[in-house]
Amino acid sequence: MSDKSNWKIWEVFVRSKNGLSHKHAGSLHAPDAEMALKNARDVYTRRSEGVSIWVVESEAITASSPDEKEPLFAPSDDKVYRHPTFYEIPDEVGHM
Amino acid sequence: MGESHSLEERFQAYVDAENKIEPKDWMPERYRKTLIRQISQHAHSEVVGMLPESNWITRAPSLRSKLILLAKVQDEAGHGLYLYSAAETLGADRKDMIDDLHTGKAKYSSIFNYPTISWADMGAIGWLVDGAAIANQVMLCRTSYGPYSRAMVRICKEESFHQRQGYEIMMRLAKGTPEQIAMAQDALNRWWWPSIMMFGPRDEDSPNSAQSMKWKIKRKSNDELRQEFIDKTVPQAEFLGLTIPDPDLKWNEETGHYDFGEINWDEFYQVIKGNGPCNKQRLDDRRNAHEAGEWVREAANAYAEKEAQRRKEGNAA
């Protein structure tokens, strides 16, 4: 029993209104997904913060490691030509 | 050894540059331990903080005040949960933290070891105790550990309702009958000193503060926060027409702050040691609530198992 009373951790994502993405709100414990949803309602949307909730078992998430930050993200740092401000367009042309 | 030294230096430089630390980032072991201790104590304070107020839910003077008090107590439960979650991101186990609270190994804010003997105490707690907590928590919104900081942002948004509802109770009483005014004054008399003790020992007696400030876990010292709180609260008491029970309290033109009298640190340490008026009652109530809730947790497990079984059978058919 003691092991079971330590319920799994779930990550909670809340969509604050239609048109916006679900955003990570926090985590909680629950014995299954259905109760995780109910708990999420009480813990993270007491003030109409949401119109939709996702719950995902924390264990199911694969995360990139902070040690890989460099090799993962550095390659995009030297590609300034991917940004619009890289190009000089004369004022006469107008907004582009 | 040289390696770990340089890791610590890099960590400090990263924090100094106002970057936030996230759960999987490297951090000094003492940073992790300090945070787990502080965040779990903070969580326990929210949870134990429900007890003095729940005392008045069935005795609230109107349906309106009862609904508000229920919402407030529910918030405290939510705040406890945000904080336990933040501590879990550091590798702490929820069950261990709760066991530590129940065995008395972990501390919680001493303020909750004082009794709530009149309805005016609900006002004084919201106004002063939540007010002092907010001063601390606003500072912690900028703490260097990401999940703690995010929990604080949520909590601060909700906590301001707590302080305002408390002040509203005080306003009603302070503008009421002579008996009601006396009740309000009595509550202020009893809660004032414990509230300003909430900020902890004087800076020179707070040995861990310097390291916490260096790591930017704390952003202001105990004495700074205490002074801020007093400066903000004195005019609020004046507006109510109530007297703060400190004969040495007076405005200091030169410093631009209020001077205040000597805090009874003896009392402070006695209550921390477990000798406050309600320490035993609070822990007993907490343990009883946990044990009495065991059947609910068992039922939830049984239900989850049954549902999983049903789904399996449904799939097979």
Side-chain angles (χ1 to χ4, degrees):
Chain A
M1 198 69 225
S2 64
D3 202 23
K4 264 191 247 156
S5 69
N6 221 1
W7 291 334
K8 286 182 283 203
I9 301 182
W10 302 76
E11 299 299 326
V12 179
F13 299 82
V14 176
R15 184 203 295 285
S16 58
K17 62 175 190 182
N18 277 11
L20 296 177
S21 304
H22 286 75
K23 199 178 158 206
H24 186 238
S27 58
L28 48 74
H29 287 251
D32 69 4
E34 194 189 332
M35 282 184 261
L37 264 184
K38 289 187 173 124
N39 290 352
R41 201 263 326 244
D42 289 343
V43 179
Y44 292 106
T45 61
R46 286 194 302 282
R47 288 172 174 79
S48 336
E49 288 95 333
V51 294
S52 161
I53 302 174
W54 289 348
V55 289
V56 181
E57 261 182 70
S58 300
E59 278 182 4
I61 293 177
T62 308
S64 64
S65 151
D67 304 334
E68 296 166 344
K69 219 183 322 189
E70 281 276 296
L72 264 185
F73 303 111
S76 74
D77 288 349
D78 60 359
K79 296 177 179 60
V80 282
Y81 47 84
R82 283 179 174 167
H83 297 275
T85 45
F86 179 74
Y87 305 93
E88 275 195 34
I89 305 290
D91 286 347
E92 302 91 281
V93 180
H95 179 71
M96 186 180 280
Chain B
M1 195 65 215
E3 172 115 335
S4 85
H5 183 65
S6 82
L7 270 175
E8 281 221 35
E9 277 174 357
R10 273 169 56 194
F11 176 84
Q12 187 62 52
Y14 192 70
V15 166
D16 285 341
E18 294 295 336
N19 291 301
K20 297 280 185 232
I21 305 300
E22 293 294 342
K24 291 190 164 180
D25 292 337
W26 185 89
M27 61 187 85
E29 215 28 52
R30 277 191 308 137
Y31 177 85
R32 182 188 301 276
K33 282 202 175 125
T34 302
L35 274 170
I36 290 177
R37 198 190 59 230
Q38 180 173 332
I39 299 173
S40 62
Q41 278 183 14
H42 198 158
H44 299 330
S45 302
E46 299 282 354
V47 169
V48 177
M50 289 191 278
L51 298 171
E53 293 182 307
S54 62
N55 187 34
W56 282 92
I57 290 175
T58 54
R59 302 171 174 88
S62 68
L63 182 58
R64 178 185 184 270
S65 50
K66 182 173 181 161
L67 286 171
I68 293 172
L69 190 57
L70 272 169
K72 180 176 189 265
V73 172
Q74 194 191 5
D75 270 355
E76 312 292 4
H79 296 176
L81 291 174
Y82 304 159
L83 286 158
Y84 284 127
S85 296
E88 283 177 307
T89 65
L90 291 156
D93 184 278
R94 169 93 45 113
K95 200 168 168 296
D96 294 342
M97 291 188 272
I98 291 174
D99 285 348
D100 285 350
L101 169 66
H102 292 169
T103 56
K105 192 177 155 207
K107 300 284 179 215
Y108 55 88
S109 181
S110 276
I111 192 83
F112 302 118
N113 292 318
Y114 290 87
T116 47
I117 59 179
S118 87
W119 173 250
D121 290 0
M122 295 303 96
I125 286 183
W127 172 36
L128 301 172
V129 175
D130 289 313
I134 289 170
N136 188 41
Q137 291 172 159
V138 164
M139 174 251 322
L140 288 171
C141 287
R142 296 189 298 119
T143 192
S144 57
Y145 187 57
Y148 193 23
S149 154
R150 292 192 285 277
M152 283 299 118
V153 170
R154 289 190 77 90
I155 288 177
C156 283
K157 272 189 206 158
E158 301 180 352
E159 199 84 36
S160 113
F161 135 59
H162 298 182
Q163 195 185 17
R164 291 171 69 116
Q165 67 84 34
Y167 197 70
E168 188 199 72
I169 293 173
M170 295 304 281
M171 281 195 298
R172 289 194 169 194
L173 292 171
K175 290 188 171 68
T177 63
E179 288 85 356
Q180 287 172 320
I181 297 171
M183 257 172 80
Q185 182 62 55
D186 170 61
L188 173 57
N189 291 349
R190 283 179 292 106
W191 290 96
W192 174 255
W193 290 103
S195 296
I196 66 170
M197 288 179 200
M198 277 176 71
F199 297 99
R202 276 177 303 222
D203 292 348
E204 64 262 36
D205 301 324
S206 179
N208 300 322
S209 276
Q211 182 62 67
S212 283
M213 299 271 281
K214 191 168 171 228
W215 278 330
K216 299 191 190 288
I217 294 174
K218 286 178 72 158
R219 311 296 305 240
K220 287 178 183 173
S221 77
N222 295 355
D223 286 333
E224 272 177 271
L225 286 167
R226 184 168 14 246
Q227 186 69 57
E228 253 177 39
F229 172 74
I230 291 172
D231 289 347
K232 219 181 263 180
T233 308
V234 173
Q236 296 167 355
E238 281 166 1
F239 180 84
L240 294 172
L242 300 176
T243 309
I244 289 176
D246 178 359
D248 298 321
L249 187 77
K250 64 166 187 293
W251 179 250
N252 184 326
E253 235 8 287
E254 236 166 82
T255 60
H257 295 291
Y258 282 91
D259 292 337
F260 53 95
E262 186 59 29
I263 291 169
N264 184 351
W265 293 112
D266 226 28
E267 176 183 326
F268 175 77
Y269 289 111
Q270 280 300 325
V271 181
I272 286 186
K273 268 189 228 149
N275 302 323
C278 301
N279 293 60
K280 188 179 176 315
Q281 187 191 336
R282 299 292 184 237
L283 266 191
D284 286 350
D285 286 351
R286 196 48 243 143
R287 277 192 287 258
N288 287 340
H290 191 71
E291 282 160 23
E294 182 62 31
W295 72 269
V296 179
R297 294 188 290 277
E298 277 175 25
N301 281 332
Y303 179 76
E305 271 168 32
K306 203 171 79 184
E307 286 297 300
Q309 189 61 34
R310 268 193 198 142
R311 270 193 301 274
K312 224 195 283 174
E313 284 164 13
N315 288 342

